């Protein structure tokens, strides 16, 4: 087989383990020198391919690449940028082909969530629709866990572990304070459309009555009266109430509890502040003293508390993506399959990208308790394997070490291109 | 020496390591059976002493007590309750003596911050002013690090490590997103009067230009124009701006930013929280897309990321408190003394409580850079030893294990008492 170059890029919101996937991709490429020459990384995702901002990954030492395994964030820069259709925006695809040709790129690895899968799907049509021989593989990543087909998404397990741990720790705090001070604690977590992360908060408690006492899912229409009754009951019974609320919590009519009016580049509304909104309601309706926290980026960058299972899966999908590419499987995504529940066993299967792109996986109704405020035993059984094991990063001088890359750009061979 | 009983209680806001101090106190008491019989813990601090809600700590196994070392929150319940003066509120003190007599309590250990030191000081006057032979020791604790005399306060080092780590991790996240999305990240941290915790965020960066790019201290009057210029400069130079802001950030006239009644870019009234307030200003004045997080209880309960130095010091002050009591040193506090900087060495010295109570230790001006937005090399040198070392708790089923105490109340011997 002839040797060609590979392109890897990160897309969408980054995670604590997306760089572990990068590590898997790059290490697997380095181990296939007969087929893969250089690896280029897109500076800021697909944009780097369009503007020919290609990071020459060959300049990075094996040690630096290995350090990606424990470095959060997106080391090569991510982007929120969705390619339009080939039919209507042919120029962009022609440019991609120009850049790929100029750098002899025949393998394309795109590491992202649902929106990015759509971009990767479009790029994977280059060979069929425009005659350029490219093998495009989508590598799954999203803290939201809303990608279909795959049993879970790399990135989610670590956020789940962080939120479950933080909920347990903060619950011990408020439990000690509630006699004379704070009665209600509200933790806002990510998950715009699907309540997977909020559900993970439910793992904090194990026995009946243990916090959290209420989870507010985006999947369940918010009913203020019912919610306040639940909070009041919890304070009266346990002395305090711990709430985990999804940023995507919404009313029956679809209005978000915290609608800030911003939209991001994908046209999604930027949310923020459901915790203070809910806390304000509680103060108003029940008069209880409250505290609230918004974990925001902390939750998805908390590599210091990553799930070992998650790190292993993130790394494995990266390696498997390269295996699929080398086998010529265009337009595919390596998906995680749960083989057995106890002991938890998983493997990776190849899934056609067309089955993945632009579809969201919501929490099944059987995962939410009948009252709408908790997780069921089925949900717990699904979630628990994903947070198993610790994979602490090395610490230096009291702080987690992170990869230091040189991020050298490859020499440009083409004229400038305006997005 | 005759054998008498001891009373231990937790007061004020709890920390990730206050239970490590409890562990130190209780283990030291158990190792002095000739002098100390039972240990009682106040259920919810000093209130437990007043209402005769005494937890019989002898019912707890050695294993359960050892597990306190890695359990956040206040295992026996804390309180926000300050005793009034003996002269004007004699009834409360007579009640304390009644309870102490009924349970043969002659040793009093009060584990708290500045306000609690005041309560402990008053209790320590029982022997002199009311003739009851009690030895009262204050055991230092506060995430705010604002206790005087002691070089640092147990509880602070772990929050500092958590905030420095979280700032570093979240900075990597936003650095990957800033090309096409979020440009500014604001992390709100605790510290209503003193900027110690905010300063710890400064440890995240090591080289010039590394985030955080701006720290907002309560000690430096907030100047919106100057702050916005700094944010803008940072975004233009580095592509993004990471801000650590203290909840106590305030204007020249003393008004807290969070209390200023600001509205966001869309005219919505902010619901409290200095992070969203500051983020709103940035949107309004500069138009940058932002994310914000409020760590709240998460920061002070994050035992999973505790500083080993902090855990050791928290445990040591607990043990030393017992040693002081057994030596008859009434009205004292064990304080941490920094013996040498490099290598960092510390010991514990006895400090008269009168020198501690009702005094706050602010950041020295030499710890804040001239522009008011960063920490100096002196500050870094002071802070770094406090976050050294990791002391991960044991994990079980993916989550940190915590102590499970029976919290059996001792039989009451007295009539009810109304606070």
């Amino acid at each position: 087989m002839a040797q060609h170059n590979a392109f890897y890029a990160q897309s969408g919101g980054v995670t604590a383990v997306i760089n572990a996937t990068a590590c898997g991709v790059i290490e697997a490429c380095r181990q296939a020198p007969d087929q893969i020459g250089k690896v280029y990384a897109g500076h800021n995702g697909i944009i780097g391919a369009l503007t020919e901002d290609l990071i020459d990954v060959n300049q990075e030492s094996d040690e630096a690449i290995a350090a990606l395994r424990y470095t959060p964030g997106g080391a090569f820069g991510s982007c929120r940028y969705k390619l339009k259709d080939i039919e209507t925006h042919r120029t962009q695809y022609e440019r991609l082909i120009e850049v790929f040709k100029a750098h002899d790129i025949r393998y394309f690895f795109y590491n992202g969530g649902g929106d990015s899968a759509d971009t990767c799907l479009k790029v994977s049509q280059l060979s069929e629709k425009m005659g350029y021989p490219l093998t495009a593989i989508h590598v799954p990543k999203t803290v939201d866990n809303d990608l279909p087909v795959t049993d879970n998404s790399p990135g989610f397990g670590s956020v789940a572990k962080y939120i479950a741990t933080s909920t347990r720790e903060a619950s011990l705090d408020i439990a000690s304070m509630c006699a004379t001070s704070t009665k209600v604690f509200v933790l806002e977590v990510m998950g715009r459309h699907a309540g997977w992360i909020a559900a993970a908060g439910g793992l904090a408690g194990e026995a009946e009555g243990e916090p959290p006492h209420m989870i507010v899912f985006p999947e369940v229409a918010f009913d203020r009266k019912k919610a306040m009754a639940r909070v009041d009951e919890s304070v009266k019974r346990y002395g305090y109430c711990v709430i985990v609320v999804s940023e995507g919590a919404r009313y029956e009519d679809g209005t978000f509890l915290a609608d800030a009016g911003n939209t991001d580049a994908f046209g999604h509304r930027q949310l923020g502040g459901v915790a203070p909104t809910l806390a304000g309601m509680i103060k108003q309706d029940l008069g209880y003293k409250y505290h609230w926290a918004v974990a925001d980026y902390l939750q998805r960058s908390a590599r210091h508390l990553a799930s070992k299972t998650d790190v292993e899966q993130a790394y494995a999908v990266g390696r498997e993506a390269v295996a699929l590419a080398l086998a010529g499987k265009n337009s595919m995504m390596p998906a995680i399959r749960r083989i057995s529940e106890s002991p938890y066993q998983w493997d990776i299967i190849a899934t056609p990208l067309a089955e993945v792109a632009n579809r969201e996986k919501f929490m099944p109704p059987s995962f939410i308790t009948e009252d709408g405020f908790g997780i069921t035993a089925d949900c717990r059984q699904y979630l628990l394997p994903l947070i198993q094991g610790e994979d602490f990063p090395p610490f230096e001088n009291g702080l987690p070490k992170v990869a230091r890359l040189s991020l050298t750009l490859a020499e440009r061979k083409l004229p400038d291109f305006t997005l």
Side-chain angles (χ1 to χ4, degrees), chain A:
Chain A
M1 197 183 253
Q3 192 205 59
H4 297 286
N5 298 326
F7 174 86
Y8 166 81
Q10 305 177 317
S11 177
V14 294
T15 79
V17 301
I18 186 173
N19 286 333
T21 299
C23 177
V25 168
I26 296 164
E27 290 188 351
C29 287
R30 288 186 175 187
Q31 286 158 19
D34 291 347
Q35 297 126 295
I36 299 179
K38 285 195 159 199
V39 178
Y40 294 108
H43 190 215
N44 303 318
I46 190 73
I47 290 176
L50 289 165
T51 57
E52 205 191 354
D53 286 314
L54 303 178
I55 294 161
D56 182 354
V57 179
N58 282 37
Q59 304 296 319
E60 313 294 346
S61 69
D62 285 348
E63 291 68 33
I65 297 304
L68 286 176
R69 196 173 161 122
Y70 55 75
T71 302
F76 304 106
S78 187
C79 70
R80 293 203 180 277
Y81 187 86
K82 206 169 164 174
L83 286 184
K84 306 280 195 319
D85 289 333
I86 293 188
E87 286 69 23
T88 54
H89 289 73
R90 211 172 163 86
T91 335
Q92 285 205 325
Y93 293 87
E94 284 166 352
R95 168 69 177 187
L96 279 182
I97 290 176
E98 252 189 335
V99 172
F100 292 163
K101 260 189 193 159
H103 296 275
D104 190 28
I105 289 166
R106 297 276 183 100
Y107 303 105
F108 178 88
F109 302 104
Y110 209 46
N111 199 174
D115 285 324
S116 317
D118 178 73
T119 288
C120 189
L121 179 63
K122 285 166 179 156
V123 171
S124 76
Q125 296 163 349
L126 282 184
S127 62
E128 188 197 327
K129 296 197 177 171
M130 297 177 73
Y132 182 78
L134 189 80
T135 308
I137 305 290
H138 187 251
V139 204
K141 165 246 64 165
T142 168
V143 295
D144 291 334
N145 203 38
D146 58 358
L147 280 169
V149 186
T150 188
D151 182 64
N152 59 288
S153 303
F156 170 67
S158 294
V159 181
K161 189 181 185 84
Y162 175 88
I163 293 299
T165 297
S166 298
T167 302
R168 175 174 287 186
E169 290 178 332
S171 294
L172 289 168
D173 191 308
I174 180 175
S176 1
M177 303 304 297
C178 67
T180 57
S181 184
T182 309
K183 305 270 189 250
V184 178
F185 177 69
V186 185
L187 173 60
E188 173 176 333
V189 303
M190 287 179 156
R192 193 173 268 116
H193 303 300
W196 293 106
I197 297 177
L203 296 176
E206 282 162 356
E208 175 67 26
E210 286 186 357
H213 307 102
M214 180 164 103
I215 301 173
V216 184
F217 298 101
E219 286 89 350
V220 181
F222 183 78
D223 176 330
R224 180 165 176 164
K225 214 172 142 184
K226 210 176 135 198
M228 293 302 121
R230 172 75 166 215
V231 172
D232 200 30
E233 187 201 342
S234 173
V235 172
K236 291 197 166 114
R237 186 179 295 179
Y238 309 113
Y240 65 108
C241 180
V242 173
I243 303 166
V244 177
V245 59
S246 169
E247 61 176 344
R250 68 197 79 184
Y251 293 101
E252 187 74 53
D253 69 1
T255 318
F256 290 113
L257 264 68
D259 195 341
N262 293 322
T263 54
D264 71 11
F266 290 136
H268 299 143
R269 297 186 84 71
Q270 189 189 351
L271 305 176
V274 60
T277 304
L278 188 54
M281 281 182 200
I282 290 163
K283 181 77 186 165
Q284 198 169 17
D285 293 5
L286 305 169
Y288 292 131
K289 188 180 171 195
Y290 60 78
H291 261 249
W292 53 267
V294 176
D296 195 62
Y297 281 174
L298 268 50
Q299 69 201 286
R300 72 179 201 195
S301 64
R303 180 61 185 81
H304 73 269
L305 190 60
S307 149
K308 187 164 194 246
T309 303
D310 191 30
V311 174
E312 283 168 359
Q313 291 179 339
Y315 180 78
V317 293
R319 288 198 71 96
E320 188 61 22
V322 176
L324 289 174
L326 293 179
K329 308 269 191 192
N330 185 40
S331 202
M332 301 293 271
M333 179 186 90
I336 297 161
R337 179 173 61 169
R338 186 175 298 221
I339 302 170
S340 80
E341 197 76 68
S342 180
Y344 174 59
Q345 288 183 304
W346 55 276
D347 65 0
I348 296 179
I349 53 169
T351 305
L353 204 37
E355 292 178 18
V356 175
N358 300 309
R359 286 174 50 202
E360 281 174 317
K361 180 174 73 178
F362 299 98
M363 294 261 292
S366 66
F367 278 16
I368 300 175
T369 51
E370 218 163 304
D371 59 18
F373 292 134
I375 59 170
T376 61
D378 278 2
C379 182
R380 186 176 292 273
Q381 191 175 29
Y382 166 76
L383 291 172
L384 265 179
L386 309 181
I387 66 165
Q388 295 303 308
E390 293 70 54
D391 190 51
F392 302 115
F395 278 71
E396 197 172 60
N397 214 4
L399 291 170
K401 268 183 81 167
V402 297
R404 302 275 180 181
L405 303 185
S406 64
L407 301 179
T408 315
L409 287 182
E411 206 179 323
R412 286 203 183 144
K413 303 182 175 183
L414 298 170
D416 284 356
F417 180 81
T418 309
L419 289 178

